[in-house]
Each structure stands twice: as structure tokens, then as C-alpha cells.
Amino acid sequence: MTDRTYLPRSYAEAHRRNPPPNRYGGANTFLGVPHASLSDPATLEGSQAVILGAPFDAGTSYRPGARFGPNAIRSTDYIPHSGYRPHLALRVDPLGELGVVDAGDVNMQQLDSEGGLKNLMEACRQVSAAGAIPVVLGGDHTITYATAQGVAQHHGFGRVSLVHFDAHADTGDSEGGLWGHGTPMRRLILSGAIRGDRFLQIGLRGYWPDPPILEWMADQRMRWYEMTEVVNRGLDECLTEALERAADDCDGVFLSVDVDVVDPGMAPGTGTPESGGLTSRQLLDAVRRIGMESNLLGMDVVEVAPPYDHSDVTALLANRVVLETLSGVTVSRKNSSRE
């Protein structure tokens, strides 16, 4: 049984003060956790993780629809949280024990990409400054330029490593404009927020990027694990190596998960599907390990596009990516508190 004494004292009170709306109508919080507001810091007290929505897909290059991802990820579930929801294998209750709250969607206008990204960056910085992990529900992958940089603004440029699950490197120079979901990783490195030699990418495959971009990535000393390497060496071995590098001379990890890292047979609801990816089980096991074995400072899960989903399987996978990661964080923090 989970030790309920680990729950923050303010969590039950937060539920009473800010009860979630009916999950079958209107705006939902993530699995029914308490509401919070960035404009009212008191609502963040006692929370170790804060959900933010980033309904943005102006950076897509193929199929739009990821702006509808945050609401789908929040509500795609069959057991709404009601104060106690244990992880069957780990015997922890991540939502309760971490005092997770949902601060709603950040204002991200599709026709003002730069303004929306600045709003998101500030929201992530504010959550980090409050001592909590920003957990951002995207949105297309353009948003990672803002989410990871907002976390780095608080913890220090160059002090945050980034573990990135994706079919695509997202290190393009441009895609016809300043902002796009194929460019955020290059822009993060150029900004100085994330060091190239602490940028780990897992699951790359397909027919992009081209050699000049790969040469740029090598010059930045990025480390990427293509699916051929993951298959040959095994995901566990690749992830162990990546986590060791991520922890070297950095204070913590930002996790970015593009659902297209999973084979589209298991995650069809995404904008740029690429065959031959991870299984959903592999991804969930991997993010749980990251939660358990690293100092997680922030995360986002992106590119869920409900218009292309079947039976909500992709949204449910993204929902479980969040839960598995936070379950790992809960185990890590409970173990640390006993030492």
C-alpha cells in the first residue's frame, strides 16, 4: 500500500477549494487533479508538478491538429483521479504524492507564434521557480524551444540536459519561417539553453535530416540513437548510456517525448508518422526509468493530433507517458527522503 502520509497536506484542501469540473463537459484538468493558476501562486503551494497545456500547431509541416492534443491527453482515461490512484507495479500514487495540479492552457495564438512561445517560456520558468516540475501537454514540437528554455532560465543555461524521444531530429535550419516543429532543437542549442553535448536523441529513423544537418549535429557533439542502433544494442543499453551522459556536469534532465517515436501502428494520431518505431511498452518503460534514475526538471509530450487518432489510443499513450514518468519521479523522491 502507498504511504499516504507522503501526500502534501495542502493537496486535499486544494481539491476542496478548486474541485475539477465535470470531466464529461467543459474544460478538464489532467485526470481531475485540482485546478491551479499561475496568477495565484498560493494554488501552486505543495505541488511538485504542474500540468500546463500548449494548444499550438502553427509550426506543423504536414498534418495539423496537435492544438487539440492537450484536452485529449487530459481527458482520455477511464478512471478519473479522486485523491488516490496507485501505480500497480510501483505502489505509488504519483498524482497525490506529488500534489499534481493543472494550471490550464497557456495563451498561444496560432497567428502569433513568437508571442505564444514567450508566454509558454515564462509559464515554465514560473513553475520551475516555484519548485515544481512543469509538465507540458502539446501542441506540436515547436513548443520545446519554449518549454526547455523556460526551465533552463531558472536552473541555468547549460545546466540542463535534454533527453529527446522522436522519429525526427528537429534540428533543421528553417522550414520557410523562423518557427517550426522541425527546428526547435537547433534553436535551443544556439540559444545556449541546452548544450549540444548534453542533447540525447532516441528513436530517429526515416529519410530526414540530410547530410549537412547531420554534420551540424555532429559539430555540436549531439548524441543520437537511430532505431537501427536501438534494435541492435537494445533500448535498455542505449538508455543507460544516454542517462549517464545526461547526468555528467548537469543539474538535471528535461524530457521531451514526441509520440511519433512510437510506430504509427500503435500511435496513429500524429502529424508526421514514420513506420518502424518503438512499441508503446518500450516508451513507457523508458520514461519510467528516466523519472526514477534522473533529476527530472521538466517535460513535455507533443504531436498528439486527435483528428488522426483511432479510439483515442495515441492520446491515451501520451496520458500514460505523463503518469509513468511522474510515477518514476515519485519513487525516486521517496527513496531519497529515506536516505
Side-chain angles (χ1 to χ4, degrees):
M1 293 292 291
T2 299
D3 179 6
R4 294 190 184 215
T5 62
Y6 193 72
L7 273 71
R9 291 183 179 180
S10 61
Y11 194 66
E13 178 59 27
H15 249 295
R16 287 191 289 269
R17 289 199 316 265
N18 301 300
N22 185 327
R23 68 190 293 266
Y24 298 106
N28 297 313
T29 64
F30 182 79
L31 299 181
V33 301
H35 283 287
S37 173
L38 297 184
S39 62
D40 182 3
T43 62
L44 304 181
E45 290 180 5
S47 177
Q48 298 178 58
V50 176
I51 306 292
L52 297 168
F56 178 88
D57 62 6
T60 55
S61 58
Y62 184 39
R63 303 192 305 194
R67 74 183 70 180
F68 304 110
N71 189 56
I73 298 169
R74 283 185 172 104
S75 59
T76 305
D77 193 74
Y78 57 92
I79 307 176
H81 180 63
S82 58
Y84 184 60
R85 184 185 175 124
H87 187 291
L88 184 61
L90 299 180
R91 297 295 194 269
V92 296
D93 171 22
L95 300 179
E97 296 184 42
L98 295 179
V100 178
V101 296
D102 191 327
D105 287 350
V106 174
N107 182 17
M108 302 194 73
Q109 296 295 325
Q110 306 303 309
L111 298 180
D112 182 14
S113 298
E114 186 172 3
L117 292 169
K118 286 181 178 178
N119 291 342
L120 181 59
M121 190 182 303
E122 172 57 21
C124 290
R125 186 207 63 78
Q126 186 176 343
V127 170
S128 296
I133 299 169
V135 178
V136 183
L137 314 177
D140 75 52
H141 222 153
T142 310
I143 71 166
T144 300
Y145 172 79
T147 56
Q149 188 164 172
V151 170
Q153 284 180 352
H154 173 71
H155 292 282
F157 274 31
R159 303 307 307 166
V160 180
S161 59
L162 200 147
V163 178
H164 170 206
F165 287 85
D166 204 328
H168 312 98
D170 294 350
T171 49
D173 191 13
S174 69
E175 288 190 349
L178 183 61
W179 308 108
H181 70 165
T183 66
M185 308 314 171
R186 178 186 289 253
R187 299 194 181 285
L188 273 173
I189 293 172
L190 293 177
S191 74
I194 308 293
R195 292 165 46 179
D197 62 350
R198 294 298 179 269
F199 213 119
L200 298 311
Q201 299 184 307
I202 300 173
L204 305 190
R205 59 191 187 277
Y207 301 86
W208 185 87
D210 54 23
I213 296 176
L214 291 174
E215 290 173 9
W216 182 87
M217 292 166 61
D219 288 343
Q220 308 309 309
R221 299 175 61 196
M222 297 177 70
R223 177 66 167 98
W224 61 95
Y225 298 84
E226 297 176 23
M227 276 304 301
T228 50
E229 181 176 0
V230 172
V231 170
N232 290 333
R233 295 180 59 192
L235 179 58
D236 282 344
E237 183 178 330
C238 293
L239 186 56
T240 295
E241 183 178 287
L243 287 173
E244 289 175 354
R245 183 165 176 174
D248 182 25
D249 194 33
C250 279
D251 298 326
V253 167
F254 187 94
L255 170 64
S256 184
V257 177
D258 185 330
V259 293
D260 72 21
V261 75
V262 171
D263 190 273
M266 295 184 177
T270 192
T272 46
E274 185 67 55
S275 297
L278 298 176
T279 67
S280 56
R281 180 70 265 163
Q282 286 178 305
L283 177 59
L284 295 178
D285 288 344
V287 297
R288 183 200 300 182
R289 275 193 65 190
I290 291 170
M292 293 176 66
E293 299 178 18
S294 72
N295 179 26
L296 189 74
L297 301 178
M299 71 174 290
D300 59 36
V301 55
V302 302
E303 299 287 356
V304 173
Y308 314 106
D309 213 356
H310 302 307
S311 301
D312 299 328
V313 294
T314 313
L316 180 58
L317 172 61
N319 179 290
R320 292 304 192 259
V321 165
V322 172
L323 282 176
E324 289 292 329
T325 307
L326 294 181
S327 293
V329 171
T330 306
V331 170
S332 175
R333 295 190 176 185
K334 290 187 75 169
N335 289 340
S336 296
S337 68
R338 291 170 181 154
E339 295 175 355

